[in-house]
Amino acid sequence: MPVMDAAALNAFLAREFPQAGGAYVVDDVADMTLTMRLTPTQQHLRPGGTVSGPVMFALADIAFYAAVLAMVGPKALTVTTNCSIDFMRKPAMGADLICTARILKLGRVLAVGDALILSEGQPGPVARASLTYSIPPKG
């Protein structure tokens, strides 16, 4: 079961990860799953007016980071060791991006899972990522 809820995770991210600018918001936390929202602004767009790939990559990465923290507690030095992302379709203009991160295996030192990004109101995912995180040892 999660040890941190959405409010605790949002407070942790605001305090420990201010460079995310409060743009990435945890909507919901459940056992081994987390949903995060990004409301794109002008700074998230690439030429052509669509959300940039690096922004979607960050959403997947931050959502999985928060999912791991939800299960293990506020360990700031939990870090990405691997991430692979597939961009599938262009997000809808002006729509929020919704990322669901799932932990498929939570071990003592590694967490493995995936993140699926949807564009609100649009059928089908816009991106899918596979992630592995290193969890710092206790103590």
Side-chain angles (χ1 to χ4, degrees), residues 41-56 90:
T41 64
Q42 192 66 34
Q43 71 183 19
H44 300 118
L45 304 181
R46 64 176 296 275
T50 189
V51 177
S52 74
V55 168
M56 287 188 278
K90 188 168 92 170

Side-chain angles (χ1 to χ4, degrees), residues 50-53 56-57 60 84-92 97-98 100 102 114-119 122-130:
T50 189
V51 177
S52 74
M56 287 188 278
F57 184 98
S84 174
I85 191 165
D86 297 306
F87 300 103
M88 299 174 180
R89 56 185 52 86
K90 188 168 92 170
L97 296 180
I98 311 297
T100 301
R102 298 182 310 156
D114 58 25
L116 190 66
I117 302 174
L118 303 173
S119 181
Q122 177 179 330
V126 296
R128 175 195 62 86
S130 173

Side-chain angles (χ1 to χ4, degrees), residues 12-130:
F12 177 87
L13 291 172
R15 183 178 63 252
E16 300 294 333
F17 199 25
Q19 58 272 42
Y24 302 88
V25 178
V26 176
D27 279 348
D28 188 52
V29 178
D31 190 33
M32 306 287 270
T33 305
L34 177 136
T35 303
M36 180 173 275
R37 174 181 303 270
L38 170 68
T39 301
T41 64
Q42 192 66 34
Q43 71 183 19
H44 300 118
L45 304 181
R46 64 176 296 275
T50 189
V51 177
S52 74
V55 168
M56 287 188 278
F57 184 98
L59 176 58
D61 192 34
I62 296 169
F64 193 73
Y65 174 64
V68 172
L69 295 182
M71 298 306 297
V72 303
K75 298 182 179 187
L77 290 178
T78 299
V79 296
T80 311
T81 59
N82 187 55
C83 183
S84 174
I85 191 165
D86 297 306
F87 300 103
M88 299 174 180
R89 56 185 52 86
K90 188 168 92 170
M93 297 294 277
D96 284 4
L97 296 180
I98 311 297
C99 181
T100 301
R102 298 182 310 156
I103 300 172
L104 302 174
K105 181 180 186 296
L106 181 60
R108 198 173 33 81
V109 295
L110 288 179
V112 178
D114 58 25
L116 190 66
I117 302 174
L118 303 173
S119 181
E120 198 166 56
Q122 177 179 330
V126 296
R128 175 195 62 86
S130 173

